[in-house]
Amino acid sequence: VEMIPANIKKWITVSDEVLALKGQAFLDYVYDEIEERILELADAQIVAAIKAAPASATTTAAGVRVVTGAFDPFTIFAAQAELVSEARNPVAIMSKKCYFNTFMAFKDTTNRPIYNIVTENGRPTYYINGIEVIFSNDLADNELIVGDLRGVILNLPDSTEVSFVTDPYSLAEYDKVKIVGKMYAGIGVIRDGFFCYCKTGVSA
């Protein structure tokens, strides 16, 4: 699989008056926020790479299986059945509305809910049919991904850290300082059959 790294970037402009008043603590806060947004963008690109993968492997791309049809209590099982045996740690990636409005309403053949919520240290972890759910704003309410995240790679040829450039010059006439954060990364699906993409409203 060929991956072409590119810079994932986020930036903000801040008035030099604010920087002068707030000092280093404020600057550290801005850095943390930009870093968080870059990592969120990397997550979005991972979801996009899985969705863009072909249904069957080619000589240059790993395949992502596809399941279509209305969601039901057995959708997650059907998706897991499409995965290769090496995909041993599956998760379900979906929007919050898909989980709370759709899957929490389903019951199994014995009339029991198929979801579970486990709270540890005040933080809930969500499950469907025994596998963990990860929420993503980058999936519509009628689609989800089931798979083992070891099947995708985030290749960081430069550094594992987000680098920052603080530019007080290019917008100096507007009394603005530009702060740019960037992470040089290549993202791609590298293992065939490690993911299954499910979508409703599509003919098989």
Side-chain angles (χ1 to χ4, degrees), residues 143-155:
E143 58 182 352
L144 61 88
I145 293 169
V146 174
D148 186 334
L149 290 173
R150 294 177 303 149
V152 70
I153 192 170
L154 176 65
N155 184 23

Side-chain angles (χ1 to χ4, degrees), residues 39-191:
L39 295 176
E40 289 173 357
L41 184 55
D43 289 342
Q45 292 187 8
I46 289 172
V47 169
I50 295 171
K51 291 177 60 175
S56 300
T58 69
T59 56
T60 58
V64 170
R65 309 298 183 255
V66 177
V67 169
T68 60
F71 292 160
D72 60 37
F74 308 102
T75 297
I76 302 299
F77 290 140
Q80 288 188 80
E82 296 292 329
L83 306 181
V84 296
S85 59
E86 292 81 6
R88 294 183 293 271
N89 303 302
V91 296
I93 307 171
M94 65 184 69
S95 70
K96 282 191 172 182
K97 284 187 177 181
C98 184
Y99 181 82
F100 289 107
N101 290 347
T102 301
F103 282 93
M104 283 188 71
F106 290 145
K107 292 181 171 57
D108 64 17
T109 55
T110 61
N111 206 36
R112 295 179 302 180
I114 65 170
Y115 73 90
N116 191 23
I117 303 174
V118 177
T119 302
E120 295 182 6
N121 300 320
R123 182 175 181 177
T125 304
Y126 301 91
Y127 295 87
I128 296 176
N129 297 134
I131 69 170
E132 185 177 350
V133 174
I134 297 174
F135 295 128
S136 171
N137 294 327
D138 302 295
L139 288 167
D141 302 337
N142 67 330
E143 58 182 352
L144 61 88
I145 293 169
V146 174
D148 186 334
L149 290 173
R150 294 177 303 149
V152 70
I153 192 170
L154 176 65
N155 184 23
L156 304 171
D158 186 22
S159 169
T160 59
E161 302 293 331
V162 174
S163 62
F164 291 93
V165 175
T166 302
D167 173 16
Y169 305 112
S170 60
L171 298 175
E173 69 272 27
Y174 302 108
D175 298 325
K176 298 286 187 181
V177 176
K178 180 184 288 186
I179 302 171
V180 181
K182 54 186 177 180
M183 183 171 66
Y184 193 53
I187 296 171
V189 179
I190 59 168
R191 294 185 176 181

Side-chain angles (χ1 to χ4, degrees), residues 14-27 175 177:
V14 182
S15 69
D16 49 15
E17 291 94 341
V18 168
L19 288 181
L21 288 171
K22 299 293 185 178
Q24 187 62 43
F26 176 72
L27 195 58
D175 298 325
V177 176

